[in-house]
């Protein structure tokens, strides 16, 4: 990607010509600047022979991080997309190709290690290096058949990388073949794809009652599933005037929109704080500080409007609460919002149960539906 003013390089990624045509498969995140802000960014390819030329963006699949572009040269037939993806076996060697760190063409050898189901959409786990700049390149079998498209790696692990399954590339290429012309503006298309994602995400999230986890006398609503994981910690052994237990749950994947915006995600945090040594006034000040420390985002930005917040004192089940809900609208994608719900119990002068629910990239209806289900599930159990 190049900045139009000055033609300076902004980002770099990889791609590959499909068959003997002039269509190139790559990742959406490689061309996202061009898709979102075509008046600011333009694309250019440089092939392995050093020849260069412009690219034309034809299609994007934000949910699976894929894109198709057209260039002014033909492929040699080296990379073919099979009509039916071949069966991979765990431990089978694959070879990922791309432009690591913008150093030039390179091949990484690794092994296929199954389908990752913790992401919202299937990904293939590749035990091999996929470095920055290789995104969008092909990962092929020893026989040369494309098995997937390089997409990402885990920064907290060694040689744990991910591929987009080739079947998603097949579907996107079929849509390109059926389309009379590419959209003039990709933002409405991206918005529709994000709206489709959030419908499935919220339906799956709320298809069963939330799980209630005891935190002292309180019942904390969480959702544990293949897409969400929960973690806990405590300061119980620290030298402090209060005891704080924290439980955090979050989805392990998000939808990439741009370098400054990821969406289609949900997270939950609960704090249970109590003290025997602080008097009621000092504990109230502590509880207020903890509540204030939860930021909801300030001011308006290029992607989101400023937060619009509402505060109320409510009672759900057996628990009186102070609740603050803040909503931010997406500037480029009509009908999408980020919701943040903060709540704090008001039933005990020496203890506080505080929660934060954050859900991003949802319709207003689904945002309200999620926050309502969360509040309705909160309760106080038997006193301890």
């Amino acid at each position: 990607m190049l900045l139009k003013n000055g033609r300076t390089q902004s980002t770099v990624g990889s791609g590959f010509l499909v068959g003997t045509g002039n269509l190139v498969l790559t990742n959406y995140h490689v061309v996202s600047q061009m898709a979102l802000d075509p008046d600011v960014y333009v694309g250019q390819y440089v092939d392995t022979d050093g020849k260069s030329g412009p690219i034309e963006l034809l299609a994007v699949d934000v949910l699976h991080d894929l894109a198709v572009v057209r260039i002014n040269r033909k492929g040699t037939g080296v990379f073919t997309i099979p009509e039916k993806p071949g069966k991979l076996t765990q431990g089978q060697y694959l070879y990922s190709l791309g432009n690591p760190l913008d150093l030039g063409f390179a091949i990484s050898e690794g092994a296929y290690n199954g389908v990752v189901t913790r992401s919202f959409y299937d990904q293939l786990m590749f035990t091999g290096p996929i470095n920055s700049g290789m995104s969008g390149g092909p990962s092929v079998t020893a026989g040369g058949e494309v098995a997937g498209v390089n997409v990402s790696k885990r920064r907290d692990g060694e040689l744990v990388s991910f591929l987009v399954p080739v079947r998603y590339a097949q579907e996107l290429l079929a849509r390109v073949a059926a389309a009379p012309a590419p959209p003039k503006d990709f933002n409405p298309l991206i918005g529709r794809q994000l709206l489709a994602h959030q419908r499935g995400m919220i339906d799956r999230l709320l298809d069963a009652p939330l799980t209630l986890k005891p935190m002292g006398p309180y019942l904390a609503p969480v959702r544990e599933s293949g897409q969400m994981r929960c973690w806990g910690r405590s300061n119980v052994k620290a030298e402090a005037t209060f005891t704080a237990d924290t439980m955090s749950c979050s989805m392990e994947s998000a939808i990439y929109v741009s370098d400054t915006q990821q969406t289609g995600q949900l997270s939950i945090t609960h704090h249970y704080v109590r003290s025997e040594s602080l008097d009621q006034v000092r504990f109230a000040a502590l509880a207020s500080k903890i509540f204030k420390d939860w930021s909801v985002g300030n001011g308006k930005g290029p992607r989101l409007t400023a937060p619009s917040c509402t505060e109320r004192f409510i009672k759900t089940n057996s628990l009186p609460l102070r609740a603050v809900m803040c909503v931010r609208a997406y500037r480029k994608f009509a009908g999408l919002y980020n919701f943040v719900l903060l709540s704090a119990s008001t039933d005990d002068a020496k203890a506080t149960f505080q929660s934060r629910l954050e859900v991003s990239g949802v319709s207003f209806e689904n945002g309200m539906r999620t926050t309502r289900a969360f509040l309705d599930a909160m309760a106080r159990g038997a006193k301890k």
Side-chain angles (χ1 to χ4, degrees), residues 78-80 140-146:
V78 171
F79 301 114
T80 58
V140 302
T141 66
E145 186 175 275
V146 177

Side-chain angles (χ1 to χ4, degrees), residues 110-126:
Y112 165 74
N113 272 295
V115 178
V116 179
T117 57
R118 282 183 182 167
S119 58
F120 205 82
Y121 303 102
D122 288 351
Q123 290 186 329
L124 308 183
M125 185 162 70
F126 174 68

Side-chain angles (χ1 to χ4, degrees), residues 269-323:
T269 303
H270 297 292
H271 290 325
Y272 172 45
V273 184
R274 63 274 187 201
S275 176
E276 295 294 335
S277 60
L278 295 177
D279 59 42
Q280 292 185 11
V281 174
R282 292 172 66 198
F283 185 82
L286 170 67
S288 294
K289 181 181 184 305
I290 294 171
F291 197 76
K292 287 180 180 178
D293 284 345
W294 265 335
S295 172
V296 297
N298 295 318
K300 56 187 178 180
R303 304 295 183 194
L304 296 167
T305 62
S308 175
C309 300
T310 303
E311 180 175 4
R312 291 182 184 174
F313 288 87
I314 60 176
K315 185 172 183 179
T316 62
N317 294 318
S318 55
L319 186 60
L321 295 167
R322 173 193 178 191

Side-chain angles (χ1 to χ4, degrees), residues 213-250:
K213 298 265 190 181
M215 295 188 77
Y218 301 101
L219 298 177
V222 298
R223 168 62 74 230
E224 290 182 294
S225 67
Q227 287 75 43
M228 290 193 72
R229 300 188 73 189
C230 296
W231 306 90
R233 66 180 187 275
S234 177
N235 74 337
V236 67
K237 292 187 177 181
E239 293 184 6
T241 57
F242 63 92
T243 302
D245 298 330
T246 299
M247 178 169 33
S248 300
C249 304
S250 64

